[in-house]
Amino acid sequence: GDGNDGGDGGGASQPLGHVTQSDSAPVIEGDDGMKRTYTTQAVAPSAAAVRAPLPPGAKEETLPLEIGEQLANFQLESFAHRYFEKHTKGVFRRQIPVKEMLTWGSDTISTSLVKMNSQALQKESVSLFKQVLAYMGDAGGVAKGERARVQLGYSIVQKCIQTAELRDEMYCQLCKQTNQNPNIESLHKGWELFVMCAYSFAPTQDLEQWLLQYVAAWHNDMVQTTRMFARYTTRLLRKIVRTGGKRGKIPPMNELAAQLKAPFKPSPFGASLEECMTLQQAQFPDADVPRVMTCLMERLLTDELGVIEGIFRVPADQGGANTLQKHLETYDFTVPDKFNGHVVGSVLKFWLRDLADPIIPDTLYARCIDAASSSNETCLALVEELPPLTQKVLRRLIAFLRIMAKYEERTLMGQDNLAMVFAPNLLRCPSQNMQVLFENTKHEQEFVFVLISELELDDADHVFGYGADAKPMYSATGSGGGGGGGGGGAKPTAHSEALRKSGTVAQPPSAGASAFA
């Protein structure tokens, strides 16, 4: 895998493609003796693990059951041959083939799947597997109710975080128990555990590629629930591989419980740009960029809420930022007045930083770094190589930052400072080497500075109410954003009010109304 958050392909390479039916393709006989016609075609990985519901009447291509199982079983075999313990059974201690070790079973294991350097860790692995069996109901019983399952899942996650050697073991056990599992209820409970683990801790680099490929093999499973679990698991894995998670901290139980519902409630945070557009299509059919981004930018410009000292640089109240994010995840793209400019700016940066794929993709990262130290023209030319939607998003953001830079005397955030704080949200260095990260930081900032200062824009690129010269067509009266709470008490101008009533600007609740109305 390339270590990025999100990406339907489950890694940089997906050699097997996926299988679809065709009238003029070779015939393949499945394990059940039935003959079916398929073609195999390479599929470019999309940017996120959870896809929006298909339009009415549309049908999604799915893998026939026996083919899907074969692909899933294949993914981890290379890893297992290198890193698994040898397992034996029977009176004559026959060695169990790797393929069998990677297949679902209702019996416990006698030792760890992954090679361990102590007997104590092997015993811990066996104990862990028994908990997995209990959670999935493969051991003659299962924890009743969601709360009991979450408590058991929390215990499993806790053990893996506290003992790093068990993390790859846990992932391999989940691959084993989800592969060719004949019980759909047990299978889905296995995917629940997959989600909780992928939310909490990363696999090692040795396992990462194989694990992502295994999970990706389920993305087109015939059962919709399984597909959604697998795609969301990919999204979590790619994110935690990139960020490292919370560095050994055990997530609260309520967070793990929330993750069990997350695959079925797609969020605009952590999604791809394409997903954001699909998810908002019914509500905003005419929007040309994600509404979650524009509503935050518009709120910062409306009544000069964002015209406060240190905007985007002064840390925001984390509780307020979390609350605003949860509010926007309901697809109510209004920003209530109770959130100050620092909170709104923080959520805007987080949305950009949390995208499944960065605005500047990995494929262009090295060239952007080189261009920053060579010529401005080269930097600007690279923008033309971005996909059309990404270009629109970037241009809209640059237009917004250019407007914000006009208020430098009041915010102390000119083009150079804005480039500094937004560069990490637009580019992601693929290297884990601290020296490379440090050296590239200045080049990332230089690249974004060139875009803010020189990228050619037209009226279509600009945020509402502003022309191509980045001159505001309306502003608040009085002192402006001040402390930030609700615009510093400034009254909106007539033009601002007109924009609100027309729906162009996110309309906050009326006085006395609930913040989430």
Side-chain angles (χ1 to χ4, degrees):
D2 57 14
N4 283 326
D5 171 23
D8 232 33
S13 62
Q14 192 175 1
L16 298 177
H18 72 248
V19 181
T20 56
Q21 292 194 339
S22 169
D23 294 333
S24 59
V27 174
I28 299 177
E29 183 171 336
D31 293 338
D32 57 1
M34 296 183 64
K35 294 184 178 181
R36 298 178 177 86
T37 307
Y38 305 103
T39 62
T40 303
Q41 59 186 37
V43 179
S46 68
V50 181
R51 295 176 184 171
L54 293 173
K59 293 184 179 180
E60 181 168 16
E61 297 174 341
T62 59
L63 279 171
L65 184 59
E66 76 280 0
I67 300 295
E69 289 177 346
Q70 290 171 18
L71 296 187
N73 194 40
F74 176 83
Q75 305 298 338
L76 279 168
E77 286 187 30
S78 296
F79 175 85
H81 278 294
R82 294 175 60 188
Y83 297 102
F84 271 25
E85 293 277 13
K86 292 182 179 180
H87 286 229
T88 60
K89 68 178 181 180
V91 176
F92 299 103
R93 313 309 297 166
R94 179 181 68 85
Q95 183 172 332
I96 301 175
V98 165
K99 185 174 291 188
E100 185 176 338
M101 290 168 60
L102 284 169
T103 302
W104 175 89
S106 59
D107 297 328
T108 189
I109 54 179
S110 58
T111 187
S112 61
L113 293 180
V114 178
K115 292 177 182 178
M116 297 290 180
N117 56 16
S118 73
Q119 288 187 344
L121 286 173
Q122 290 178 348
K123 290 181 179 179
E124 285 286 338
S125 300
V126 173
S127 173
L128 195 65
F129 190 76
K130 289 178 180 178
Q131 287 185 292
V132 172
L133 290 176
Y135 187 101
M136 296 176 64
D138 295 334
V142 68
K144 301 296 183 182
E146 182 180 304
R147 180 171 178 79
R149 292 206 316 278
V150 172
Q151 288 176 336
L152 183 53
Y154 178 85
S155 175
I156 291 171
V157 167
Q158 182 181 40
K159 186 178 293 186
C160 292
I161 289 180
Q162 291 174 342
T163 308
E165 294 87 349
L166 294 177
R167 297 173 190 175
D168 279 3
E169 174 70 19
M170 182 67 225
Y171 280 123
C172 289
Q173 290 182 9
L174 290 175
C175 291
K176 170 182 171 63
Q177 291 305 102
T178 53
N179 184 30
Q180 300 187 44
N181 189 326
N183 185 311
I184 192 68
E185 185 177 351
S186 167
L187 175 65
H188 288 164
K189 286 184 171 60
W191 280 106
E192 285 183 358
L193 275 178
F194 243 132
V195 166
M196 284 192 275
C197 291
Y199 178 75
S200 306
F201 55 86
T204 64
Q205 289 184 344
D206 292 329
L207 179 61
E208 177 189 327
Q209 177 186 359
W210 311 109
L211 182 62
L212 284 166
Q213 288 179 350
Y214 173 82
V215 175
W218 291 88
H219 284 186
N220 291 317
D221 188 75
M222 295 178 68
V223 180
Q224 183 183 23
T225 301
T226 310
R227 295 198 300 271
M228 296 176 79
F229 268 127
R231 292 168 181 172
Y232 188 66
T233 300
T234 292
R235 180 162 150 182
L236 290 177
L237 283 171
R238 293 174 69 82
K239 180 175 182 178
I240 204 160
V241 163
R242 175 172 58 85
T243 64
K246 297 183 178 179
R247 301 296 178 187
K249 292 184 179 180
I250 302 169
M253 201 174 298
N254 65 322
E255 285 189 17
L256 291 180
Q259 286 302 304
L260 300 186
K261 299 180 177 65
F264 313 104
K265 295 181 179 179
S267 167
F269 291 85
S272 67
L273 293 177
E274 291 77 13
E275 270 197 322
C276 288
M277 297 301 293
T278 301
L279 292 168
Q280 70 181 29
Q281 177 62 31
Q283 191 176 1
F284 301 100
D286 297 326
D288 60 347
V289 294
R291 184 69 183 125
V292 63
M293 177 183 76
T294 56
C295 81
L296 292 167
M297 295 192 304
E298 289 166 2
R299 186 67 189 97
L300 288 168
L301 295 175
T302 301
D303 309 328
E304 299 184 354
L305 180 72
V307 184
I308 49 180
E309 186 173 322
I311 183 67
F312 303 123
R313 195 168 184 176
V314 172
D317 172 64
Q318 192 58 49
N322 290 339
T323 301
L324 178 55
Q325 178 184 338
K326 290 177 181 178
H327 172 67
L328 295 172
E329 285 176 337
T330 67
Y331 288 86
D332 178 1
F333 294 131
T334 62
V335 181
D337 280 336
K338 71 175 185 178
F339 297 110
N340 65 34
H342 292 305
V343 167
V344 178
S346 174
V347 173
L348 173 61
K349 290 194 301 178
F350 177 72
W351 178 78
L352 289 165
R353 185 169 64 252
D354 201 43
L355 283 170
D357 292 307
I359 295 295
I360 304 300
D362 290 343
T363 52
L364 291 180
Y365 180 85
R367 292 171 60 192
C368 290
I369 297 301
D370 291 340
S373 56
S374 58
S375 70
N376 293 358
E377 290 75 15
T378 307
C379 292
L380 300 173
L382 287 171
V383 173
E384 302 300 324
E385 297 187 32
L386 297 173
L389 175 58
T390 307
Q391 276 199 52
K392 286 182 181 179
V393 170
L394 179 60
R395 289 178 179 277
R396 196 70 51 86
L397 176 67
I398 294 302
F400 166 75
L401 296 179
R402 198 169 287 176
I403 294 166
M404 291 300 300
K406 297 286 185 180
Y407 296 101
E408 181 179 5
E409 288 187 5
R410 293 163 62 183
T411 64
L412 306 183
M413 295 295 292
Q415 292 183 351
D416 52 349
N417 281 336
L418 289 171
M420 178 183 67
V421 296
F422 273 88
N425 304 303
L426 300 178
L427 299 100
R428 297 176 191 163
C429 180
S431 174
Q432 300 300 315
N433 185 293
M434 293 303 297
Q435 184 176 352
V436 173
L437 290 169
F438 180 77
E439 291 177 350
N440 283 5
T441 297
K442 63 178 182 180
H443 298 305
E444 293 173 357
Q445 295 173 12
E446 290 167 354
F447 178 80
V448 175
F449 177 80
V450 170
L451 300 187
I452 296 175
S453 60
E454 297 190 25
L455 185 64
E456 185 176 347
L457 304 174
D458 55 35
D459 284 338
D461 297 324
H462 284 269
V463 185
F464 76 107
Y466 289 78
D469 61 351
K471 181 179 179 181
M473 295 167 61
Y474 67 91
S475 61
T477 58
S479 60
K491 295 181 180 180
T493 64
H495 185 71
S496 175
E497 280 297 299
L499 285 168
R500 284 187 185 279
K501 291 178 181 179
S502 71
T504 308
V505 182
Q507 174 68 57
S510 58
S514 165
F516 297 99

